Amino acid sequence: MRCYVSGGTGVKRDDRQQAIMDLLVTDGEVELDALADRFAVSRMTIHRDLDDLEGAGLLRKIRGGATIRSGTQFESDFRFRERQGTTAKMAMAQAALRLVEPGMTVMINDGSMAAILGQQLAACRPLTVITNNAAVMDTLKAEAGITLIALGGVYSAKFNAYLGKVTEDALAHLRADVAFISAPAVSGLEVFHMDETVVRSKQAMMRQGACRVLLVNHSRFGNAALHRLAALSEFDHIITDQPPAPEARAALDEAGLTLTIADPQEAEA
C-alpha cells in the first residue's frame, strides 16, 4: 500500500494523480486550490493533472475543481459507488433473490449494486452464475455449489468489470434463466447509461436472459444519460429501494409497468 503525505514536494506526477483519485473516492469532490496547497505545486500543474485524469475518464472537471459524481456523460468510479447506499442495495438484492431458485443459470452485469447481489447468491446454490463483474467473480470463485462462468474482455478499473467485443461475443453463446441489469438513469419510460461499451454488454445480457430484471435506485428516476440502454417495458421486473418521485411513478403506472419496492427491513435482518 502506498502512503501519501499532505505535502507534495517531490511527489511524482503518477503518485500525485493517484492521490487525487484516492481523495475523490473518499470525498466525491476536490477543489483545485486545496490540491495545489496539499501537494505544494502550482495551480497549472493541478490543472494538467485533472486534464489527464478527465481524459482517462476518471473524473469530471467542474468550476474550481473536479468531481467523481455521476453526470449525463460520466459514471463515477466503482470504488466511489460501492461506498454509496449500501442499505438500499442490500434491500434490492434481497428482493432480487426471490426471483432465483436453486439450479438456475443467472447473469449479473457490472456495477456496485450487482456486486452486492453477487454476495447473496450463494444462499440459492446450486447455481450457475455468468458475470463480467470482477467483484462478483472474487466473491463466488471459491463458493461450493456455484458454477462460475467469468466473462473475459478488456478490464476496466473504473467499472471493475470486463467489457468489449470479447465479452459480447461470449455472451452470444450463453443463455440464462434470469439476467440482472443495473442502471444509473431512468428518464420517462427509458433506461440510460453514460458509457457506450457498458451499454453493449448490458444489452448482450438482456438478449440472452429469459427473464430480465432491472435494479435501479429510486434517486435515478428522472435522470437521463448519454446512451439509451432499453425501454422499461423490456424488463419483466423493475426493482427499486423506495418509491420514486410522483411524476416518475405516475408514468410507470400509466404505462402499466409494475414496480417492486424493496423492504429495507429485510436488509437489516
Side-chain angles (χ1 to χ4, degrees):
M1 176 183 293
R2 287 182 290 183
C3 298
Y4 301 97
V5 295
S6 59
T9 304
V11 176
K12 295 180 179 179
R13 182 186 64 179
D14 288 349
D15 288 342
R16 186 175 60 248
Q17 291 183 2
Q18 180 61 57
I20 291 171
M21 286 306 303
D22 290 344
L23 289 169
L24 279 164
V25 166
T26 301
D27 300 334
E29 191 169 308
V30 292
E31 295 182 356
L32 189 148
D33 289 339
L35 290 175
D37 290 342
R38 182 184 184 92
F39 297 109
V41 295
S42 69
R43 296 177 83 257
M44 186 57 65
T45 295
I46 296 298
H47 264 301
R48 287 195 291 267
D49 286 337
L50 298 182
D51 285 341
D52 289 345
L53 293 168
E54 184 176 49
L58 297 174
L59 56 75
R60 268 193 306 135
K61 288 184 73 176
I62 57 176
R63 183 181 296 276
T67 183
I68 201 173
R69 297 187 176 95
S70 299
T72 303
Q73 300 183 49
F74 178 81
E75 174 64 303
S76 53
D77 189 284
F78 178 89
R79 295 175 298 161
F80 178 72
R81 285 181 282 125
E82 70 177 344
R83 295 167 176 248
Q84 311 301 308
T86 302
T87 300
K89 291 172 185 173
M90 286 291 293
M92 286 189 282
Q94 290 297 315
L97 283 181
R98 290 198 288 271
L99 302 173
V100 179
E101 298 178 4
M104 278 186 167
T105 297
V106 176
M107 282 183 180
I108 304 182
N109 74 172
D110 65 284
S112 58
M113 171 63 243
I116 296 290
L117 175 57
Q119 294 171 7
Q120 310 300 314
L121 276 179
C124 300
R125 71 186 88 192
L127 291 174
T128 296
V129 179
I130 303 167
T131 187
N132 64 336
N133 190 318
V136 177
M137 294 176 193
D138 288 342
T139 296
L140 297 181
K141 64 185 179 183
E143 288 287 347
I146 300 292
T147 299
L148 177 63
I149 300 178
L151 299 168
V154 178
Y155 177 71
S156 166
K158 177 177 180 178
F159 295 103
N160 197 29
Y162 295 87
L163 303 165
K165 188 175 186 302
V166 173
T167 312
E168 296 156 29
D169 287 349
L171 283 165
H173 297 282
L174 299 167
R175 186 72 175 167
D177 296 297
V178 58
F180 290 106
I181 308 297
S182 54
V186 176
S187 180
L189 299 177
E190 295 184 312
V191 186
F192 294 86
H193 197 282
M194 301 80 170
D195 188 277
E196 181 182 9
T197 305
V198 174
V199 165
R200 290 200 304 267
S201 70
K202 291 178 188 290
Q203 290 174 336
M205 284 192 177
M206 291 179 64
R207 286 192 293 270
Q208 304 309 114
C211 175
R212 305 162 178 173
V213 182
L214 177 66
L215 303 166
V216 57
N217 187 285
H218 76 282
S219 65
R220 302 304 183 103
F221 285 87
N223 297 319
L226 183 59
H227 300 284
R228 181 185 182 276
L229 169 61
L232 283 175
S233 60
E234 295 179 53
F235 294 94
D236 300 285
H237 301 274
I238 304 169
I239 299 175
T240 190
D241 60 309
Q242 295 179 34
E247 59 272 20
R249 184 62 185 267
L252 294 172
D253 293 341
E254 186 175 345
L257 298 173
T258 300
L259 187 65
T260 299
I261 309 297
D263 184 355
Q265 292 183 350
E266 291 187 2
E268 297 170 359

